[in-house]
Amino acid sequence: MRPDAELSPAPRAVPVTLVVRALFGNFLSQFGWLFFAFGMLFVFVFDAGGGVLEWIRFRGDVITVRGEVVESEATNMSVNDVQVYRTDFAYTVGDGVQRTGSSFESGRWREVGATVEVEVLERDPDRARIAGMRGTPGGLGVVFIFVFPFVGGALGLWGFVSGLSVIRLMREGTLTSAELVGKETTGGRVNNQPVMKLTYVFQDEYGATHNVIAKSHDTARLEDEPRELILYDPRFPEKATVLDEMGAQPRVNPQGHLEATRHGIPTALYFLLPGASLLASVRYVLTLFG
């Protein structure tokens, strides 16, 4: 980045490519959506039947009827090293229509032809389970797997919000240069490389001195010039960012406009992980309610 670069007056137009990169291309966003998509794999494997949803459903009005065991056999799943058994049953409610259902229990199978008590949702008689058993193999015990997509989604949204701040700086920020005055390790690692904290100092348009912090495991691009270009908010100069740290990867062209660098990942690919996360969520919801 040229240290003598001049930026066009604010407010300035921000290209769509930079907007997309700012919202979805920063490390926090990409890592968050990757973690979300990875977590959804566990959700599909261990809660495909919707154990949490089943627990919520059966907190409503339930009626109890007699049912009969049709089949009982072991599944390929265990909970706390205890084999899970599936029991198929038949039951009839007030309308006289015979219905069937399946329930699950750890460490116990039921004899075919045995009489069982069946809990039926009053508002939806097609949904039922044997009293004392659960409607899905894992039941509510698999609720912990939702921690992974929850954390990933939170990180992804955090990265999205951070991207909005970057877009605002690109549209309204003031460009200046900053001097590197400190470098220390944060204790974190990415790709087996230490994450470093770099401290820069700059002066605003009134001559006041401020610090701006950059954190990265790839510090070469943050140290390749005697002074790094930064964007800061003229109203709140403490809100600043180093251009070479920004996930949007902007540069100032000779006309003073911001544009995306030509190297790096194609802009369209930044939609890949958020899109996969969205599709996984929709698929899971459709599986539960379809």
Side-chain angles (χ1 to χ4, degrees):
M1 187 74 68
R2 298 179 297 113
D4 59 343
E6 294 184 2
L7 200 57
S8 58
R12 61 189 67 90
V14 180
V16 174
T17 52
L18 288 182
V19 171
V20 173
R21 292 186 179 190
L23 296 177
F24 302 109
N26 60 75
F27 173 78
L28 194 62
S29 179
Q30 288 289 297
F31 178 79
W33 295 124
L34 176 62
F35 203 66
F36 182 94
F38 182 75
M40 287 302 296
L41 292 178
F42 284 91
V43 171
F44 276 114
V45 171
F46 294 103
D47 194 49
V52 176
L53 180 62
E54 184 252 355
W55 177 78
I56 295 173
R57 282 171 173 161
F58 278 89
R59 290 177 64 85
D61 294 330
V62 174
I63 58 176
T64 301
V65 299
R66 292 289 181 180
E68 180 180 334
V69 174
V70 176
E71 186 176 1
S72 186
E73 63 180 8
T75 69
N76 57 1
M77 180 178 179
S78 61
V79 176
N80 295 326
D81 294 327
V82 179
Q83 182 69 54
V84 175
Y85 290 86
R86 188 193 79 243
T87 298
D88 299 331
F89 59 93
Y91 64 99
T92 304
V93 292
D95 57 7
V97 177
Q98 187 180 65
R99 295 175 170 86
T100 58
S102 297
S103 290
F104 300 84
E105 190 172 24
S106 299
R108 181 184 178 188
W109 65 278
R110 302 297 180 104
E111 186 176 348
V112 174
T115 300
V116 291
E117 288 190 353
V118 177
E119 296 174 338
V120 184
L121 282 182
E122 189 172 11
R123 65 179 181 279
D124 186 1
D126 288 326
R127 297 192 180 275
R129 67 181 181 185
I130 297 175
M133 298 177 65
R134 52 186 182 266
T136 61
L140 194 60
V142 300
V143 67
F144 72 92
I145 63 175
F146 287 90
V147 171
F148 298 102
F150 178 82
V151 171
L155 291 175
L157 291 176
W158 189 3
F160 185 89
V161 173
S162 298
L164 294 176
S165 300
V166 169
I167 294 171
R168 185 169 60 251
L169 280 177
M170 289 192 290
R171 185 176 63 247
E172 303 175 358
T174 298
L175 184 70
T176 189
S177 61
E179 179 184 359
L180 178 64
V181 295
K183 179 180 179 181
E184 59 184 301
T185 182
T186 63
R189 301 185 73 86
V190 175
N191 295 332
N192 206 31
Q193 295 181 339
V195 177
M196 305 301 295
K197 173 183 175 183
L198 292 82
T199 303
Y200 300 85
V201 63
F202 70 95
Q203 288 186 334
D204 63 21
E205 56 187 323
Y206 301 106
T209 300
H210 306 276
N211 290 339
V212 56
I213 304 296
K215 295 180 180 179
S216 177
H217 68 288
D218 180 17
T219 61
R221 56 195 173 90
L222 298 173
E223 301 176 280
D224 58 350
E225 294 165 341
R227 295 181 67 86
E228 289 288 335
L229 289 181
I230 69 164
L231 278 173
Y232 73 90
D233 188 332
R235 298 167 299 173
F236 307 99
E238 65 276 5
K239 296 181 178 180
T241 185
V242 181
L243 258 66
D244 283 342
E245 185 198 18
M246 296 166 66
Q249 297 178 310
R251 70 174 184 177
V252 183
N253 64 22
Q255 291 74 41
H257 303 304
L258 288 172
E259 64 181 15
T261 54
R262 290 184 171 84
H263 65 273
I265 300 174
T267 302
L269 293 183
Y270 288 115
F271 288 111
L272 184 60
L273 289 175
S277 300
L278 177 61
L279 289 176
S281 301
V282 171
R283 176 61 185 275
Y284 179 66
V285 172
L286 291 178
T287 300
L288 295 185
F289 294 95

